[in-house]
Amino acid sequence: MPDITHAREPRLRALDPLLARRSVGPLQEPAPQGADLDLILDAGLRAPDHGRLRPWRFVVIRGDAMLAYGEKLAEAAAVRDPVNAAALAERYRAWVRRTPMLIAVGAVIKPGNIPEIEQLLAAGAAAMNMLNALHMLGYGGMWVTGPNAYDATVNRLLGFEAPSRLVGFLTAGTPAPSTAPVRARPDRAAHVVEWTP
């Protein structure tokens, strides 16, 4: 009889990076570039999508463009919330300064038989694939939404005209040393039920 435990071992080890993935907040240089960045983006392009619409679009923001982008976020915040404009502007500038790279992820919505929600889910799947790839290559990242992801001005700035839109931003870089404890995985029993007729 074949030793199926031994045969399964490489497959189980292949899942270890996926099961260890977590969102990483404090990031530092280097951000992925060259072949590593290409692999991360290619992982996004392997996300499932109904009807082969390939609605995903990724906008890479890095280098000097980061500071300019921070100013655009500050301007958008001032329009959204004039009363708190100064505090929000500094918050977004600081976020951009401490983030080595951003990848804006969105869906270019195509009219037709495929529902819009499925096109947005395809972009979300692409974002998750890229987060997994970041982690597996030794980088860190986090999927961030918030007011800027839903702001029409920020969407247009990045090339997403309604009904197309962002699903969020991926921060990308190298995890900074941290003493924060690693969160426990959610309890499977709290999230899974088995349907029976």
Side-chain angles (χ1 to χ4, degrees):
M1 175 177 250
D3 181 359
I4 59 172
T5 303
H6 178 71
R8 288 184 60 198
E9 190 60 33
R11 289 187 292 165
L12 295 176
R13 281 197 311 265
L15 285 175
D16 286 344
L18 180 63
L19 295 173
R21 194 215 68 81
R22 63 188 180 97
S23 295
V24 178
L27 296 171
Q28 61 189 10
E29 294 287 353
Q33 57 184 330
D36 282 354
L37 180 57
D38 288 346
L39 284 170
I40 292 161
L41 296 169
D42 286 349
L45 296 173
R46 293 299 296 175
D49 74 296
H50 186 184
R52 297 184 185 174
L53 295 182
R54 299 177 177 162
W56 340 276
R57 291 297 180 274
F58 315 133
V59 181
V60 178
I61 308 167
R62 57 183 164 175
D64 292 340
M66 288 289 284
L67 294 179
Y69 182 67
E71 290 306 313
K72 295 295 185 183
L73 292 181
E75 291 170 15
V79 172
R80 280 195 313 266
D81 188 352
V83 174
N84 299 304
L88 287 171
E90 186 45 43
R91 176 179 160 200
Y92 293 131
R93 287 183 187 115
W95 176 62
V96 166
R97 283 193 301 267
R98 69 177 181 264
T99 304
M101 174 191 288
L102 287 171
I103 304 172
V105 181
V108 174
I109 303 299
K110 297 173 181 164
N113 296 329
I114 308 303
E116 182 177 307
I117 185 64
E118 294 186 21
Q119 297 178 57
L120 291 169
L121 289 169
M128 195 66 240
N129 274 7
M130 289 191 286
L131 275 179
N132 285 329
L134 275 163
H135 178 74
M136 290 176 178
L137 290 171
Y139 298 99
M142 185 180 294
W143 186 344
V144 180
T145 55
N148 290 310
Y150 307 115
D151 186 306
T153 300
V154 175
N155 272 257
R156 281 192 301 274
L157 173 70
L158 297 173
F160 296 98
E161 292 283 346
S164 300
R165 62 185 176 275
L166 290 165
V167 297
F169 304 93
L170 301 183
T171 62
T174 298
S178 174
T179 57
V182 176
R183 284 191 224 158
R185 289 183 196 151
D187 178 26
R188 187 183 312 116
H191 300 277
V192 180
V193 296
E194 186 164 335
W195 183 83
T196 55

